[in-house]
Amino acid sequence: MADVASALLDFSQPMNVELLETTVAVFYGPGTPEQRGAAEKVLKAFQEHPEAWTRVDVILEKAKTQQTKYIALQILESVIKFRWAALPAEQREGIKTYVSNLIIKYSTTSEQDYRSQMTFMNKLNLILVQILKQDWPAKWPNFITDLVTASKTNETLCENSMLILKLLSEEVFDFSRGELTQAKTRELKQTLNTEFRSIHELCMFVLGNTRKTELIKATLTALAAYLSWIPPGYIFEGQLVQALLAMFPQAPFRNVALQCLTEIGQLQMPAEFDSHFASFYRAFTTQLVQILPPNPNVLFIQQAYETGTDEQQVFVQNLGMFYTGFFKHHIQYLETQPAEHEALLLGLNNLVAISYVSDREVLKTCLDYWNVFVADVYTTHCQTTLGAVIGSPGAAGGDGGFSFGSPGAAANGVAGPGMARKLLYIDILKRLRALMINRMAKPEEVIIVEDEGQIIRETMKDTDQLMQYRTMRETLIYLSHLDYEDTENQMLDKLRSQMGGTWSWQALNTLCWAIGSISGSMNEDQENRFLVTVIRDLLNLCEITRGKDNKAVIASNIMYVVGQYPKFLRAHWKFLKTVVNKLFEFMHETHPGVQDMACDTFLKISNKCKRKFVVLQLQEQQPFVAELLDGLTNTIQDLQPHQIHAFFEAVGLMIGAEVDANKREEYLGRLMAPPNNIWAQIIQQATVNREVLKQQDVIKSLQNVLQTNVSVCSSLGDPYLSQMVHMADTMLQLYKFYSEDVTAAISSGGVHAARSSFVKYMRRYVVQCLGSVYPMVCYLRLAFLVWCWYCALCLPSILWSCIQSQQSLVGYSGLT
C-alpha cells in the first residue's frame, strides 16, 4: 500500500484512476481488516490532499464504480464548504459550470440510466446547493430563471430541478443554522421569497401539462418544502389549492398531495383568511369521502392500517397529521360557523378512529392534540359555569353585572360558549373516553407486563410509555370532569364485560389503568360507589379465574387500583383490611413481579393510611398492626430480602403513627424480633467459633439485618432509637472484626487476595455498616445527641480501621 499511496499522492503525474478504483475495491471488499485499514489510510490521505479536487473531473469521467465517483464528489463538496472563498474567481466559475453541465448531462440521458444512479445524482444536487449557499444571489443572480427555463425542455431534467429546489428550501430554512451567518440566511430567504413566482409558475406548469407520475411526485414534494413560508396570495388567490385537491384522490399522488395540504392546513394567517381555510377544509372533506367512508367504525381504520400496504399506512399517518395540524389553528373559527359543523365533526370522528391505530407514533400525534382539545373545552366550560354563578342575581354582589366567559349569557338562560362547545362535542367526548379507556398506557407503578404471550416482570422502564400515560391520564381527568356519569358508566360496562367471561389481559389492564388514573376526579359519594363495585368485581374475578398468568394479571390490577385511592380506603376500613390481607396473599405468589408489586403497594397504602392500622376499629379485637405482628413470620416467609426491607419500612410507618409511646415500643420490639433473633444467633455462634463469621451466608444475613434496620429507621424516626442502642455495640464489634480480617488478608495475599470472593464479602459488610451509620442518624430528629453518642462509640473503630487499611495498601496504588 505504500507504493499505491505514493503514486496516488504524486500530483505531478497524471491521475491513475484504475489504481484509485483498486484501492476503493480493497476498502469495500471482503479483505482482511489489515488490508481494509491500509486502504482506508490511503483514501483518507488522498481526500485530504489540498490538490485532490483538481482530479475530480478525471475521476468522474473515467471511474466505473459508484463508490469511486462518490469519493470524488465528497472531495469536491469539502472544497466548496471549507475552501470556496480561498479559490480564485476563475476556478470557482469553472467548478460551477462543470457541476451544472454534469447535472444536465446525467439528467438528459435515458430515464433508466438516470434512475439507476440516483444516489450519485442526489450528491451532485447537494453539491450544487452548497455552491448556491456561497454564491447565490450576488454572484449567480440568474440561477432560478435559468433553472426554470431549462426545466421546461426535458421532463427528467425538470424532475431533477424539483429535487434541487426542494434541497435549496430545506438547506436555507431548516438546516442553515451553524453553517451560514444570520445575514446570509436572511438574504437567501428574501431572495427565495422574491424568486418564488418563477418556482410557482414552474410547478403549476408541470401539474397542468404532464402525466408523468415521478415528475408530479417530485413537484409535489418540492412544493411541500415551500408551502410553510410562501406568501398567502399564492395559496388562496391562485389555482394551487384546487390543483392539490384534484391530485389528492388519485392513488399515486395521494400521500405527497396530502403532505402539501397538511402544510397549508397548519398555516397561521390573519383573521381575514379564516373563511378561505373553512372553504379549503370543506373541499378537503368532500374529496376525502372518495377515499374514506364517512364516520367509519373505530376498528375500520385500525384494521385497514394493520392489513394495508406501506403506502396506505403512510396515508393514515399523514391524515392524522393533517387533522391535528388544521384543528390546532382553525377549529375555533369552524365552531362559530354552524354550516361547517358537519364537516368538523366528521373530521374529529376520523381522528378518533385514527387514534386506535396500533402504531405508537400515530397515537402520540393524536394524543398530543386530544390533550390540548379536551383541556380547552374543559376550560371554556368552567369559565361559562363560573360566569353563570357570579353573574346570577344574588351571587357575589347580587346585581348580575359581572361574569366570566360570555357576560350574562348563561345567567339569562342562553347557553354560554363553554356549554355550547360541550353540547357540540358531546359524542366526540364520549368516544374519546372510550379511546382513553381502551388505549390507556401502562403507569410506572405496574411492573408486571405481557411479553410475547407471557406474563413477566418488567426489567426496564419505558420512558416514552410513561410520558404517554401522563398525557392520557391528564386528558381522561378532563373528560371525567366534563361528564362523571358517562366516564363511570363506560368503565363499569367494560368491567362487566370482563366479568362475563370475555376478558383479556390487555383489555383488563387498560381498563384498570384508566380507573386508577382518574383518582380524585369524582365527588366523594360517586367515587365511593364506583370503587366498591370495581374492587369487589376484581376480587371476585381473581377468585373465579384459573391459571397463574391470569391471576398475576388480575392481582397486578387490583394492587394498582387500590394504591391509587387511599382516600377511599381511609374512609372504608373493611375494604382497607380486605385489600391489605389480599396483598399478604399476593406476597406468597411466586409469579415474577407479583411479590414486588404487592410490597410496593403495601408500602404506598401504609404511607397514606398509617393511622388506620394503629387505631382499634369497630368490631375488631385489636388494632390491625398487632394482628399483623402476630402473623409476621408467616407473612414474610416467601419474600426476598429487598421485599422484606420494603415490608418492614411499611410497618415502620404504621408504628410511627401510634401516639402511645409504650405501645409504640412494644410494636417495635415485636417487629424487630425476627431480625434481632437472627443477629443474636450469629453473635452467639461467633462467641464459640469466630470462623462462623467468615461464612458467606452469615455475612449476607448480617447485611440483610442491617438494611432492615435502616428501612425501619427511615420510616419510624425517633422511636427507633431504642433499637439502635440495642444494635450499636455488636454492629461495631463486627465492623472491627471484618476490617481486621480484610486488612490481614490484603497484607498477606496482596492485590489478588483483595479480589477474592472471601475478602469481597467481608468488605461488603464493612461498607454496609458504614453506609447504615449516616442514614440511621439522619432519620432521627434527636440528631445532635445521637450523633455525639454514636461518634463516641464508633469513631475509634473506624479510625483504627482506616489506619490499618492505609498501611496494608502501601505498594498497591491500583487498589481502592
Side-chain angles (χ1 to χ4, degrees):
M1 276 296 174
D3 295 338
V4 173
S6 61
L8 289 177
L9 298 176
D10 185 1
F11 285 82
S12 63
Q13 300 297 324
M15 177 66 196
N16 189 340
V17 178
E18 292 184 1
L19 186 60
L20 177 63
E21 288 205 290
T22 301
T23 308
V24 172
V26 172
F27 177 66
Y28 286 104
T32 64
E34 292 77 13
Q35 291 173 329
R36 290 198 298 270
E40 181 184 14
K41 289 181 180 179
V42 173
L43 292 175
K44 187 175 181 181
F46 178 74
Q47 287 178 278
E48 292 176 351
H49 196 283
E51 299 297 323
W53 70 272
T54 61
R55 303 294 180 93
V56 168
D57 57 339
V58 178
I59 297 172
L60 293 178
E61 181 181 352
K62 297 183 178 181
K64 299 177 182 179
T65 63
Q66 290 293 319
Q67 292 97 330
T68 306
K69 291 181 178 180
Y70 199 81
I71 288 175
L73 293 182
Q74 285 180 317
I75 295 170
L76 187 58
E77 182 182 31
S78 177
V79 169
I80 295 169
K81 290 177 70 173
F82 304 114
R83 296 174 53 201
W84 185 256
L87 295 178
E90 60 274 12
Q91 289 183 343
R92 294 201 298 268
E93 288 299 321
I95 292 174
K96 284 196 295 188
T97 302
Y98 174 73
V99 171
S100 301
N101 291 336
L102 201 60
I103 289 175
I104 294 173
K105 173 187 173 183
Y106 283 102
S107 299
T108 53
T109 59
S110 68
E111 185 173 351
Q112 183 178 359
D113 291 341
Y114 172 77
R115 303 209 181 282
S116 67
Q117 47 192 1
M118 281 304 298
T119 302
F120 174 78
M121 287 302 300
N122 288 336
K123 188 68 173 180
L124 201 57
N125 291 336
L126 188 58
I127 288 173
L128 179 62
V129 171
Q130 294 293 343
I131 295 174
L132 292 172
K133 287 163 66 176
Q134 303 282 351
D135 279 12
W136 183 68
K139 298 176 183 177
W140 202 347
N142 299 325
F143 167 73
I144 295 293
T145 303
D146 294 342
L147 183 73
V148 170
T149 302
S151 298
K152 294 180 179 180
T153 63
N154 182 280
E155 286 188 328
T156 307
L157 179 60
C158 183
E159 180 182 339
N160 193 73
S161 298
M162 292 300 175
L163 298 179
I164 294 172
L165 291 171
K166 172 179 175 291
L167 283 173
L168 181 60
S169 176
E170 291 175 344
E171 288 291 323
V172 171
F173 285 90
D174 300 331
F175 310 133
S176 59
R177 181 176 296 180
E179 293 189 9
L180 300 173
T181 63
Q182 291 184 354
K184 181 64 176 178
T185 302
R186 193 181 309 112
E187 180 188 19
L188 290 175
K189 289 181 179 180
Q190 290 173 351
T191 306
L192 263 181
N193 207 338
T194 303
E195 297 278 1
F196 183 74
R197 177 180 294 276
S198 300
I199 299 172
H200 175 262
E201 290 175 356
L202 175 62
C203 292
M204 297 307 297
F205 174 80
V206 171
L207 295 178
N209 293 278
T210 186
R211 295 185 178 181
K212 188 176 178 183
T213 301
E214 295 300 327
L215 176 55
I216 294 175
K217 284 184 176 181
T219 304
L220 294 174
T221 304
L223 266 176
Y226 285 83
L227 287 171
S228 62
W229 56 264
I230 64 174
Y234 287 106
I235 296 176
F236 292 118
E237 295 175 8
Q239 298 299 312
L240 179 58
V241 170
Q242 289 78 357
L244 292 174
L245 289 170
M247 293 286 180
F248 175 52
Q250 302 177 42
F253 317 121
R254 184 171 299 157
N255 282 322
V256 284
L258 184 53
Q259 290 174 5
C260 295
L261 295 172
T262 300
E263 292 293 337
I264 294 174
Q266 61 191 10
L267 291 175
Q268 292 179 274
M269 294 186 182
E272 57 264 26
F273 287 95
D274 284 346
S275 59
H276 292 287
F277 279 106
S279 301
F280 162 74
Y281 177 73
R282 192 185 321 113
F284 172 83
T285 303
T286 302
Q287 295 291 78
L288 180 63
V289 172
Q290 302 179 39
I291 305 168
L292 186 69
N295 294 316
N297 182 279
V298 292
L299 298 179
F300 177 81
I301 292 180
Q302 180 185 7
Q303 293 170 351
Y305 184 90
E306 292 175 355
T307 60
T309 63
D310 290 344
E311 284 288 314
Q312 290 169 334
Q313 291 182 348
V314 171
F315 171 73
V316 173
Q317 296 170 5
N318 290 341
L319 185 60
M321 295 179 67
F322 170 84
Y323 278 130
T324 56
F326 184 87
F327 289 148
K328 278 181 182 178
H329 300 112
H330 307 294
I331 193 171
Q332 291 185 346
Y333 179 77
L334 296 182
E335 291 172 350
T336 63
Q337 306 298 311
E340 309 296 342
H341 286 180
E342 182 179 357
L344 169 61
L345 294 176
L346 176 62
L348 289 171
N349 274 314
N350 287 340
L351 188 58
V352 172
I354 292 171
S355 303
Y356 278 91
V357 167
S358 57
D359 185 89
R360 180 177 289 188
E361 290 304 315
V362 175
L363 177 60
K364 183 178 183 299
T365 300
C366 298
L367 285 179
D368 289 342
Y369 173 71
W370 290 131
N371 183 253
V372 175
F373 169 77
V374 175
D376 188 46
V377 173
Y378 174 72
T379 302
T380 54
H381 174 70
C382 289
Q383 289 173 344
T384 300
T385 305
L386 184 61
V389 172
I390 296 178
S392 61
D399 57 1
F402 175 76
S403 66
F404 291 101
S406 178
N412 295 326
V414 181
M419 185 59 67
R421 295 186 77 194
K422 182 179 176 181
L423 293 174
L424 173 64
Y425 297 129
I426 187 167
D427 289 333
I428 298 296
L429 297 175
K430 181 175 293 189
R431 297 184 69 187
L432 282 177
R433 292 184 193 98
L435 170 67
M436 298 301 156
I437 294 170
N438 285 293
R439 296 297 307 274
M440 180 60 68
K442 185 181 73 66
E444 186 174 11
E445 295 89 340
V446 177
I447 59 176
I448 298 173
V449 296
E450 180 183 354
D451 181 37
E452 297 182 352
Q454 299 293 321
I455 298 300
I456 62 172
R457 185 187 189 281
E458 185 180 49
T459 56
M460 185 178 297
K461 295 294 183 184
D462 187 337
T463 53
D464 286 343
Q465 192 173 55
L466 294 179
M467 291 297 296
Q468 181 178 314
Y469 168 75
R470 295 188 184 104
T471 302
M472 298 185 79
R473 175 179 179 272
E474 181 180 332
T475 306
L476 186 55
I477 288 174
Y478 284 131
L479 289 166
S480 299
H481 282 301
L482 284 167
D483 192 335
Y484 302 115
E485 291 185 2
D486 183 59
T487 305
E488 178 183 355
N489 290 336
Q490 289 202 40
M491 289 180 172
L492 292 180
D493 286 345
K494 188 171 182 182
L495 182 57
R496 279 190 287 269
S497 71
Q498 298 293 303
M499 293 290 295
T502 59
W503 81 289
S504 67
W505 292 344
Q506 182 63 20
L508 185 65
N509 284 340
T510 54
L511 171 62
C512 292
W513 298 341
I515 290 171
S517 71
I518 61 170
S519 172
S521 65
M522 300 180 182
N523 62 56
E524 187 172 352
D525 291 339
Q526 189 174 24
E527 184 175 272
N528 291 345
R529 185 182 66 253
F530 174 64
L531 277 178
V532 166
T533 304
V534 169
I535 298 175
R536 184 189 62 231
D537 287 352
L538 287 175
L539 290 173
N540 290 337
L541 184 62
C542 190
E543 291 296 328
I544 64 177
T545 303
R546 297 292 176 262
K548 298 196 71 173
D549 282 354
N550 295 335
K551 284 185 174 293
V553 170
I554 300 171
S556 71
N557 286 314
I558 292 173
M559 290 184 284
Y560 173 67
V561 170
V562 298
Q564 297 302 109
Y565 289 89
K567 184 178 178 181
F568 168 80
L569 294 177
R570 285 196 298 267
H572 299 81
W573 165 248
K574 289 295 184 181
F575 256 95
L576 175 57
K577 183 179 180 181
T578 301
V579 164
V580 172
N581 284 328
K582 198 67 181 178
L583 292 177
F584 291 167
E585 289 182 26
F586 293 151
M587 291 178 189
H588 298 289
E589 174 58 62
T590 56
H591 198 288
V594 174
Q595 291 174 311
D596 283 314
M597 197 165 177
C599 292
D600 291 345
T601 306
F602 179 54
L603 177 58
K604 187 173 184 178
I605 291 176
S606 297
N607 187 39
K608 298 293 185 180
C609 309
K610 50 194 171 187
R611 181 65 184 158
K612 292 293 179 180
F613 296 109
V614 295
V615 175
L616 181 62
Q617 301 293 336
L618 188 65
Q619 297 181 346
E620 298 289 345
Q621 300 298 320
Q622 59 181 344
F624 183 82
V625 66
E627 181 181 332
L628 181 155
L629 293 172
D630 288 340
L632 177 63
T633 304
N634 292 332
T635 303
I636 65 173
Q637 64 182 358
D638 294 323
L639 297 179
Q640 298 298 314
H642 70 280
Q643 296 162 350
I644 292 175
H645 302 154
F647 185 93
F648 272 69
E649 183 179 350
V651 181
L653 288 167
M654 296 180 186
I655 296 173
E658 175 57 66
V659 294
D660 188 326
N662 293 328
K663 287 185 178 180
R664 197 168 55 224
E665 195 68 25
E666 176 198 345
Y667 293 153
L668 177 61
R670 294 173 62 185
L671 174 65
M672 300 308 297
N676 285 345
N677 289 339
I678 295 173
W679 186 270
Q681 289 174 7
I682 294 174
I683 297 300
Q684 185 178 5
Q685 294 173 9
T687 57
V688 179
N689 180 12
R690 289 168 61 91
E691 294 301 311
V692 170
L693 296 176
K694 297 181 181 180
Q695 298 175 10
Q696 292 184 3
D697 290 342
V698 170
I699 298 174
K700 285 183 179 179
S701 296
L702 293 172
Q703 289 175 324
N704 287 331
V705 172
L706 281 179
Q707 185 57 50
T708 302
N709 276 268
V710 172
S711 298
V712 175
C713 178
S714 67
S715 59
L716 186 56
D718 285 348
Y720 174 78
L721 184 59
S722 60
Q723 171 67 15
M724 185 176 181
V725 172
H726 175 75
M727 291 278 299
D729 186 44
T730 51
M731 182 176 72
L732 293 174
Q733 289 178 20
L734 290 172
Y735 171 83
K736 186 175 181 181
F737 169 79
Y738 284 120
S739 297
E740 289 174 351
D741 273 28
V742 169
T743 302
I746 296 176
S747 298
S748 60
V751 67
H752 297 293
R755 292 170 181 161
S756 67
S757 59
F758 167 68
V759 172
K760 283 182 177 179
Y761 269 99
M762 291 194 295
R763 289 179 66 186
R764 284 175 191 166
Y765 176 84
V766 173
V767 172
Q768 181 74 50
C769 185
L770 290 175
S772 65
V773 172
Y774 180 76
M776 282 184 180
V777 172
C778 288
Y779 288 128
L780 299 178
R781 288 187 290 272
L782 301 173
F784 179 74
L785 296 177
V786 175
W787 182 255
C788 292
W789 167 75
Y790 207 72
C791 284
L793 191 63
C794 68
L795 272 181
S797 297
I798 295 175
L799 291 174
W800 180 90
S801 171
C802 292
I803 293 171
Q804 293 300 313
S805 298
Q806 183 68 27
Q807 292 174 353
S808 67
L809 291 176
V810 172
Y812 303 106
S813 58
L815 185 64
T816 57

